[in-house]
Amino acid sequence: MASVFKEEKLYRIQIIKPCQVIGILDNVFGGFYPFLDDIKAENWGMIPAGCEGWLIKKWGRTYFLPDENQNGIEQFTPADQPCVLIPYHKIKDSYKKMG
C-alpha cells in the first residue's frame, strides 16, 4: 500500500510541440488562473516546445513534472506554485525522451 504514495521518476523528457493543458472545463471546474498580465493571451494554458521535466509515476498514475524556473512555465502554472503535475494524456504525443 505504501508504494501507491511513492513518487517514481521514470525518465526526463522535453516537449517538442506546444500542447494545450488548460481548457475551458479545467477553468470552470477548479482550474488555476495565472496572472494574465504576465503572459500573452494566445499562449495561456499551453506548454511551449522546449519545456523540460520528468515523467513520473505517482498515486498509480503517470504525470509530467516540469522543471521550475524555465522560460514559458508561467503560461501553464499558477504564479505562486510553479511545481505542478500535468496528467500524461495532456502531453502523450508531444514529447521526446532525453539522454
Side-chain angles (χ1 to χ4, degrees), residues 23-98:
I24 187 66
L25 292 179
D26 296 320
N27 295 330
V28 172
F29 297 107
F32 49 79
Y33 297 88
F35 291 108
L36 294 178
D37 294 340
D38 295 340
I39 59 176
K40 295 180 180 174
E42 67 270 13
N43 294 330
W44 184 72
M46 299 288 289
I47 300 176
C51 187
E52 298 179 358
W54 285 94
L55 206 59
I56 67 166
K57 191 148 201 132
K58 188 170 186 168
W59 302 303
R61 296 186 178 198
T62 305
Y63 297 94
F64 171 54
L65 175 63
D67 296 339
E68 293 182 40
N69 301 321
Q70 59 183 316
N71 288 335
I73 198 161
E74 68 280 355
Q75 296 173 178
F76 62 96
T77 60
D80 61 343
Q81 183 185 348
C83 184
V84 297
L85 297 177
I86 307 295
Y88 176 75
H89 73 272
K90 299 274 188 171
I91 62 147
K92 70 179 181 177
D93 297 322
S94 303
Y95 74 90
K96 68 176 182 179
K97 289 183 183 180
M98 296 176 62

